Amino acid sequence: MHVPRWLSLVSVLAAGTMVGVPTAALAAPAAPSQASVAVNAARQAAAGAWQAFEARAAARFHPHAAAAETPLARTAPGTAFSKITDVGSASRDTVPSSTGIEPDTQVEPDVAIDPGNPAIITAVFQQGRNGPSGGSADPGYATSQNGGRTWVDGNLPMLTTVVGGPFQLASDAAVAFGPDGSDYAQTIPFDEKGARSAVAVQRSTDGGVSFGPPSLVVDDNNVNIFNDKNWIAVDDSARSPHLGRVYSVWSRFVTTGSGPSAVTDSPGAVSFSDDQGKTWSPVRFTTSATADTEGLIPLIHPDGSITVVYDLSVPNAANPKHGNDYETAQTSHDGGLTWSAPVTIGQFLGSGVPGIRTGGLPAAAIDPANGHMYVVWQDARFNPSGLNDIVLSMSADGGQKWSVPRVVDPMVAGLDRFTPAVAADAGAVHVTYRTRGANGTAASVSEDYIASTDGGKTFGFEHQVGPPSVLRWAAVSTESPPPVAFLGDYMGLAAAPRTAELFWCLSSKPPFNGQFHQT
């Protein structure tokens, strides 16, 4: 067990044919080929697609005629989920630093609660952020087995070179529990200099206190393939014919051609495991091979059906250089083998936040009690100043129809809201987001929380949780100049029937000399 370190948390209280990946696959290639030392064209294209997405968001940051919106009613103070407790620390980055690595930085957490024992909570996150190329030195984890009061933490073992693994970097950590208490941490490991790119899953059998070696869902050593923006879910429903199935979903960037004529698509990919992550099914695509997706999130229904929610980029015929983005859903009723046609949830109309990489992708959750699904994202259509609010859309029919997006947060002049998360259970819906004042230019960013106890029809009062993050000490992304602060493309939020657990990163003055301190 490790000594508890730092990462901010709050507990909110209230009344097919399987294909094995051999162990040898974890070793680096025996002899570097030309491809292994060449520039990964697909990874460059993925970075370019993200920069284009950010540029579209930045262009929306301007005064405009706001769309009409009916505000959600507010509930009376003192209702359920209004008590904030156990705001504390869980982890701090101590992995060795190297060229390009920003020491003392933890970013982009995800968190999960064991459905069989809500006292067990695990969060995962990047550590030692790599500013120039993305990813991190090695993702870490923090686990509580007493409802969030105390924590143990560690580094995901045998993944990156800094902890004895074969990959140079790893990114996009996500976590999920299985019905037997297995705890699964998922990442995207890749080589900064070279072609290798994979999806990795590591299992804990002791409630998140320690994790085993990586099992590779896919392992590509091809300059024209890059695996990005993954997520994981486990079927925990006793009614499901696929109880215990572990799903990995991600965007698979594939480049064809070369030079100016090269084209890169990023279809949604899925693979599943029925043996606790030891072996994985062949990769299938949820979308067409030419779709451009990002940020897939799997939601498993009580009957075992699975819906994926993601951002779909669609070219603009009138202006090919500026596409449109739509929050989109697809559903499988046969365990991920075949998928329905895409269903549009709503258009993404979020704006950029000056000096910060905000994420901008949708967050999604399903209530395991009734199968209602909720999707949230930052959106400027209702704000005349061009600032973001957080909007929510829900589906009660398995993802065929979605409600018109409505603003969740109190609309306050001068406040910019971004990077939301959502969780749901037992009819309650929890939403968190980052908030920045001074029309999106303040020196600090807060973490805010709001909840509904009637399935998202009405929401209670907004709570600011914990101290604000001071951007001066935050991790920095230099992937697309100029350098900007980076808190993460997502934050962590999970729910049980009577509790919610919030995980976010907090930047503050270093306890010793240093440029960064983000925990």
Side-chain angles (χ1 to χ4, degrees):
M1 296 177 66
H2 298 262
V3 178
R5 299 187 300 225
W6 281 87
L7 190 128
S8 293
L9 164 132
V10 60
S11 175
V12 183
L13 304 178
T17 301
M18 304 304 292
V19 178
V21 178
T23 303
L26 292 178
S33 65
Q34 183 61 32
S36 70
V37 297
V39 173
N40 189 312
R43 181 158 68 88
Q44 286 191 328
W50 185 255
Q51 292 164 16
F53 178 88
E54 291 181 309
R56 293 193 293 274
R60 300 188 192 102
F61 183 47
H62 58 78
H64 61 276
E69 197 268 342
T70 303
L72 290 166
R74 303 294 161 189
T75 58
T79 56
F81 299 105
S82 63
K83 184 179 180 182
I84 311 295
T85 68
D86 296 326
V87 180
S89 57
S91 180
R92 180 181 174 186
D93 170 26
T94 58
V95 297
S97 185
S98 60
T99 302
I101 297 301
E102 300 168 357
D104 199 6
T105 56
Q106 292 181 323
V107 302
E108 206 167 67
D110 182 40
V111 65
I113 299 173
D114 184 348
N117 183 355
I120 300 178
I121 309 154
T122 294
V124 291
F125 34 83
Q126 295 185 47
Q127 299 184 114
R129 175 71 182 177
N130 184 294
S133 300
S136 66
D138 187 64
Y141 66 91
T143 291
S144 174
Q145 296 190 326
N146 57 11
R149 291 190 294 276
T150 60
W151 295 84
V152 296
D153 69 340
N155 309 319
L156 290 179
M158 294 175 277
L159 183 63
T160 64
T161 55
V162 75
V163 290
F167 294 94
Q168 294 171 2
L169 298 168
S171 188
D172 297 1
V175 63
F177 280 93
D180 63 348
S182 292
D183 195 352
Y184 298 91
Q186 185 198 56
T187 55
I188 294 285
F190 63 96
D191 283 351
E192 180 180 23
K193 297 177 181 178
R196 200 175 183 193
S197 166
V199 177
V201 174
Q202 298 177 247
R203 175 173 171 245
S204 171
T205 59
D206 56 10
V209 175
S210 64
F211 283 84
S215 167
L216 300 185
V217 181
V218 291
D219 185 14
D220 295 296
N221 196 31
N222 186 327
V223 294
N224 293 318
I225 296 176
F226 185 70
N227 302 291
D228 193 28
K229 220 71 200 146
N230 56 297
W231 211 257
I232 190 170
V234 186
D235 192 333
D236 293 321
S237 175
R239 293 170 44 196
S240 170
H242 310 295
L243 178 65
R245 177 168 287 184
V246 186
Y247 292 92
S248 289
V249 300
W250 68 98
S251 291
R252 190 168 170 87
F253 283 79
V254 180
T255 299
T256 56
S258 60
S261 62
V263 175
T264 300
D265 299 301
S266 53
V270 60
S271 177
F272 57 81
S273 172
D274 288 325
D275 58 6
Q276 299 174 316
K278 297 181 182 70
T279 59
W280 295 87
S281 70
V283 176
R284 290 177 172 85
F285 293 102
T286 67
T287 65
S288 71
T290 58
D292 291 324
T293 72
E294 193 73 285
L296 277 75
I297 300 175
L299 307 174
I300 301 176
H301 298 261
D303 67 354
S305 299
I306 177 173
T307 295
V308 292
V309 173
Y310 56 90
D311 181 273
L312 178 66
S313 179
V314 178
N316 186 331
N319 190 343
K321 293 184 179 181
H322 298 281
N324 296 312
D325 297 283
Y326 297 91
E327 316 300 22
T328 306
Q330 289 182 266
T331 298
S332 172
H333 299 289
D334 56 11
L337 298 179
T338 61
W339 295 85
S340 68
V343 175
T344 298
I345 300 169
Q347 186 173 3
F348 175 83
L349 292 172
S351 68
V353 180
I356 298 181
R357 173 172 162 173
T358 64
L361 297 172
I366 188 168
D367 188 331
N370 56 26
H372 291 183
M373 292 183 289
Y374 303 89
V375 178
V376 295
W377 64 92
Q378 65 194 57
D379 201 288
R381 78 184 75 185
F382 303 116
N383 195 312
S385 299
L387 301 171
N388 293 292
D389 291 290
I390 305 304
V391 300
L392 176 144
S393 177
M394 68 89 62
S395 174
D397 65 357
Q400 299 180 63
K401 296 180 181 178
W402 294 82
S403 63
V404 175
R406 302 178 69 188
V407 174
V408 171
D409 61 276
M411 297 179 68
V412 179
L415 294 186
D416 209 357
R417 324 280 196 172
F418 51 92
T419 316
V422 62
D425 201 345
V429 182
H430 310 266
V431 181
T432 61
Y433 42 88
R434 311 308 298 251
T435 297
R436 191 181 187 191
N439 292 313
T441 64
S444 62
V445 171
S446 68
E447 174 78 0
D448 288 354
Y449 165 80
I450 198 166
S452 167
T453 56
D454 56 11
K457 296 183 180 71
T458 63
F459 278 79
F461 288 93
E462 179 183 69
H463 300 267
Q464 180 175 321
V465 185
S469 291
V470 182
L471 295 176
R472 175 183 175 184
W473 312 109
V476 174
S477 173
T478 58
E479 294 171 84
S480 52
V484 294
F486 185 55
L487 305 175
D489 291 335
Y490 51 84
M491 298 295 149
L493 178 61
R498 296 178 57 82
T499 64
E501 301 291 338
L502 289 61
F503 247 83
W504 70 100
C505 54
L506 177 69
S507 53
S508 59
K509 185 177 180 179
F512 307 103
N513 292 334
Q515 180 182 352
F516 307 103
H517 183 55
Q518 186 161 286
T519 61

